[in-house]
Amino acid sequence: MHPPPPAAGVAMDFGQNSLFGYMEDLQELTIIERPVRRSLKTPEEIEKLTVDEDLSDIDRAVYLLSAGQDIQGTSVIANLPFLMRQNPTETLRRVLPKVREVLHVASVEMQLTAAMSFLTILQEESMSAHTCAHSFLQIILLHLEHRDTGVSNAWLETLLSAIELLPKETLKHEILNPLVSKAQLSQTVQSRLVSCKILGKLTNKFDAHSIKREILPLVKSLCQDVEYEVRSCMCRQLENIAQGIGTELTKSVVLPELIELSRDESGSVRLAAFETLVNMLDMFDTDDRSQTILPLVKSFCEKSFKADESILISLSFHLGKLCHGLYGIFTPDQHLRFLEFYKKLCTLGLQQENGHNENQIPSQIIEQEKKYTSVRKNCAYNFPAMIVFVDPKNFHMELYSTFFCLCHDPEVPVRYTIAICFYEVSKLLNSGVYLIHKELITLLQDESLEVLDALINHLPEILELMSIGGESSAHENKLSSLPDLIPALTAAEQRAAASLKWRTHEKLLQKYACLPHIISSDQIYYRFLQRMFAIMMTNNVLPVQRAAARTLCIFLRYNRKQEQRHEVIQKLIEQLGQGKSYWNRLRFLDTCEFIIEIFSKSFFCKYFFLPVIELTHDPVANVRMKLCYMLPKVKSALKIPADMHLLQQLEMCVRKLLCQEKDKDVLAIVKKTVLELDRMEMSMDVFQKKNYEKDLLDQEKEREELLFLEMEQLEKEKHQSDGRSPSDKNFEKKRRESRTPIQSLPKNIPVSVPGPSSSTPSTSKEIKKSKLIRSQSFNNQAFHAKYGNLDKCASKSSTLAHTPTVSGLVRTAMLSLTDDSFRTRNANSVPASFSPNPVLPSTSRGTGNTADPKSSGTKDVQPRKATLKSRKSNP
């Protein structure tokens, strides 16, 4: 089969014309390269830019400022803070005078660099006030009125920082006295604007009497300036001035100026007056608020829709603070009018009556839509304040429709803002939080990952509030009436996984650790746990894999069914620990670290100790290296004398690593790890004073696993019984109480096995009664272990924070130690806290067996210290 012939229009021409065309293209490329070649420095230019390497930093700076080019002088000025830290005396004596000379004719870039360097030096506060006034202040004041606005503003920021360091006398003579002439109408607008900002800063340095005598006259003059920019600038400084002069002078001097400015002909001045009034509400008494400020605010709101959209943006941003400050002085009619005004702002630009004018051009329409979006975004920001304004009891009637509109707004910034506020809204609604269930689902299903990222910051707290319906609610878990929650959560995770925003995916997986307190164990097992395992196996982002591993461990801990637990453990060992990919084996070690942190020591030793230490024979050096780093944690999970046989196997593996390891990096880590292992103190079966808190915490973990296992066994016996006796009803009541989240033990705690009770089912009333008593004691005294406590289960403070509960559990533990079903360890057998009946597949990767402690008298299983000592004597 031959390829089709090329079309006539696209046939390749190798004639002379075509070759000339190629040559022209090459010439164009040559022309493009010419400017690059010309930009290279000639030897003469390089010679001029070369500086003697033997010069000190100070000498080099002086030389470059004197004879160097502009770019070199700019570099010296940018390096001025370093010179001040290194040699302040010589810098002030030799370099700073040169800087002052250069700045007279400096470019804009050098001026901005100098202002930034001076600001950095002042912020470090490494010099005295005298040095600041003598060396820097005059330079700053000299360039304060630079013709370039950007340069002038930069030097102004530097001066405002210098004011904080300077003494009162220096401020009065060097700044305040010259300011009297600079604030006159005869001066430039830029000079008067600078004067306004300096006056606002100076009020913090003088007493009220000095401010009244020397500053307030200038303030009144600038508030009545002929230029609206000056009036607006001075108006925004009145808040600082009011804080300096006190309440009485504010009421008699500042408030009348604000009232006059609020009626100014310029919209920007009126806006500045409004924002200043809102910020100063706390300084006025009730009479001033009701008689003076409220009418001004009311008038401003009424005129805002007829004014520019920028005024609406500011008004919508300050509306929550305004309603909070004026709360209590509104009449019912005024209250309703402000609420309706807020609702109107929440839908601004969305309703038909707010449609665009036909005469507007597309660019104006886009700009107007952006302003409307900003208004609705500010309304979403103020929504929690408005709930307080109307009272949470009236939320459904007054604000639910508005909340619905904000959650379904077509613009992402609006939905993003309301997602951030969702937790605050949930807290305010308390028992009425069920009203916004559907909106939670809507935001979880939002097409924008930014909205999802904002929502999941407080997702555990939100779900907890919704699961209990508020603290005052007497209902059971209310999420059962929300069937869309689980599909929304799974869809959100899949959307995050399909995107490139892995940090959002990682955060979401971390927040899913709260689910055992929200939904049932079976729902987690079938809808989430398998997904966590798939992420660990297939995802390419390490932080995401680790987050999935930790969440899977939490799901496993709170799983109530032993069969499901064993299935997950088997998959972890076979597909990760014995997986073909070394990456999977590394993730298995990560998972085991989380298991050591989250589960009891006996759980780890029962299921994961041998698979972990078998990785000392792994063919990949990275796996062995990671295992070496993990060995101290593995050893800390052992208890003596019950786990002596495991300790001997650990020591044997370490000796083999020392003797047989060929990778030099791994061998170096093994040697360091051996020293750390030798320094470690082993945990004992009995409590020790040194490790009392850790041992107590581990006992609590193991106790939770044991007691929940007993409850699971009793539940099986209940289903097997033919009739329901009164004691069975009592059991059912206690079981429901134990499954209620937050109020009792957290659900789905994984326990491994009952001891003898699992192999010999007891039907006598006495045994069942004793088990029920123990279950009741546990339910009544169990500490409140939310997911947050689980994340910090290694923290001492979180353990000691529930001391009364711990003591109750300890008393229960002392009672239960007399029962054979509650035996935790035996020196000659595996821990009895997990059932021997369900047998997991062999976890060995090649060899297979656990060393028998009874036959451990050979040389290979002697204690490690003796072995190391013999190795030193016989290298």
Side-chain angles (χ1 to χ4, degrees), residues 104-313:
H104 281 295
V105 291
S107 62
V108 172
E109 182 181 359
M110 187 178 290
Q111 288 275 356
L112 292 173
T113 304
M116 290 298 297
S117 295
F118 280 34
L119 180 60
T120 303
I121 293 171
L122 293 172
Q123 289 175 344
E124 290 179 355
E125 299 181 359
S126 58
M127 58 183 174
S128 63
H130 174 75
T131 304
C132 177
H134 180 72
S135 302
F136 289 90
L137 183 59
Q138 295 303 320
I139 300 177
I140 296 172
L141 293 174
L142 186 63
H143 300 281
L144 197 58
E145 297 183 18
H146 195 276
R147 59 182 179 275
D148 186 275
T149 305
V151 173
S152 177
N153 290 333
W155 283 113
L156 177 61
E157 290 298 322
T158 306
L159 176 62
L160 297 180
S161 295
I163 289 175
E164 296 292 338
L165 301 177
L166 297 174
K168 185 184 300 185
E169 291 300 322
T170 303
L171 291 174
K172 184 175 181 180
H173 291 94
E174 299 292 339
I175 298 179
L176 184 56
N177 291 340
L179 206 63
V180 176
S181 61
K182 296 292 184 181
Q184 300 301 318
L185 287 175
S186 59
Q187 298 294 324
T188 63
V189 173
Q190 180 66 22
S191 177
R192 303 203 297 274
L193 289 173
V194 169
S195 301
C196 293
K197 295 179 182 180
I198 295 175
L199 285 173
K201 192 71 174 181
L202 286 176
T203 52
N204 295 328
K205 303 291 290 187
F206 292 93
D207 57 86
H209 179 71
S210 300
I211 295 174
K212 181 179 179 181
R213 187 180 71 251
E214 299 179 4
I215 295 180
L216 285 184
L218 292 175
V219 171
K220 290 182 178 180
S221 173
L222 291 169
C223 284
Q224 299 171 3
D225 196 278
V226 295
E227 298 293 337
Y228 74 91
E229 297 103 323
V230 179
R231 299 196 301 273
S232 176
C233 183
M234 192 66 253
C235 182
R236 295 187 182 278
Q237 300 300 322
L238 290 179
E239 179 183 358
N240 295 329
I241 294 171
Q243 293 174 355
I245 62 178
T247 306
E248 294 299 325
L249 281 176
T250 297
K251 185 175 181 180
S252 60
V253 178
V254 176
L255 185 57
E257 294 293 336
L258 276 173
I259 294 173
E260 186 175 351
L261 291 169
S262 65
R263 298 165 181 164
D264 195 275
E265 59 184 8
S266 172
S268 62
V269 178
R270 296 196 301 270
L271 180 60
F274 169 76
E275 293 178 353
T276 305
L277 276 172
V278 174
N279 293 332
M280 293 173 57
L281 280 175
D282 295 337
M283 302 185 68
F284 302 117
D285 55 24
T286 305
D287 293 337
D288 291 330
R289 295 181 191 179
S290 59
Q291 298 175 9
T292 305
I293 297 176
L294 183 58
L296 289 176
V297 171
K298 180 181 176 182
S299 175
F300 187 82
C301 293
E302 290 174 351
K303 297 177 181 178
S304 59
F305 278 101
K306 301 178 183 178
D308 184 46
E309 287 84 359
S310 59
I311 294 181
L312 284 176
I313 294 175

Side-chain angles (χ1 to χ4, degrees), residues 138 365 489 584 739:
Q138 295 303 320
I365 294 176
L489 290 173
N584 288 341
R739 290 179 59 87

Side-chain angles (χ1 to χ4, degrees), residues 61-68 98 102:
V62 173
Y63 172 77
L64 292 177
L65 289 171
S66 303
K98 287 292 181 181
V102 170

Side-chain angles (χ1 to χ4, degrees), residues 29 77 83 160 189 213 320 377 381 431 498 518-519 548 573 593 613 718 737 757 821:
L29 291 175
I77 293 175
L83 295 176
L160 297 180
V189 173
R213 187 180 71 251
K377 176 184 175 182
Y381 168 78
S431 59
I518 308 300
I519 58 180
I573 294 173
E593 288 190 71
I613 64 172
K718 170 186 170 296
E737 291 177 356
S757 61
S821 64

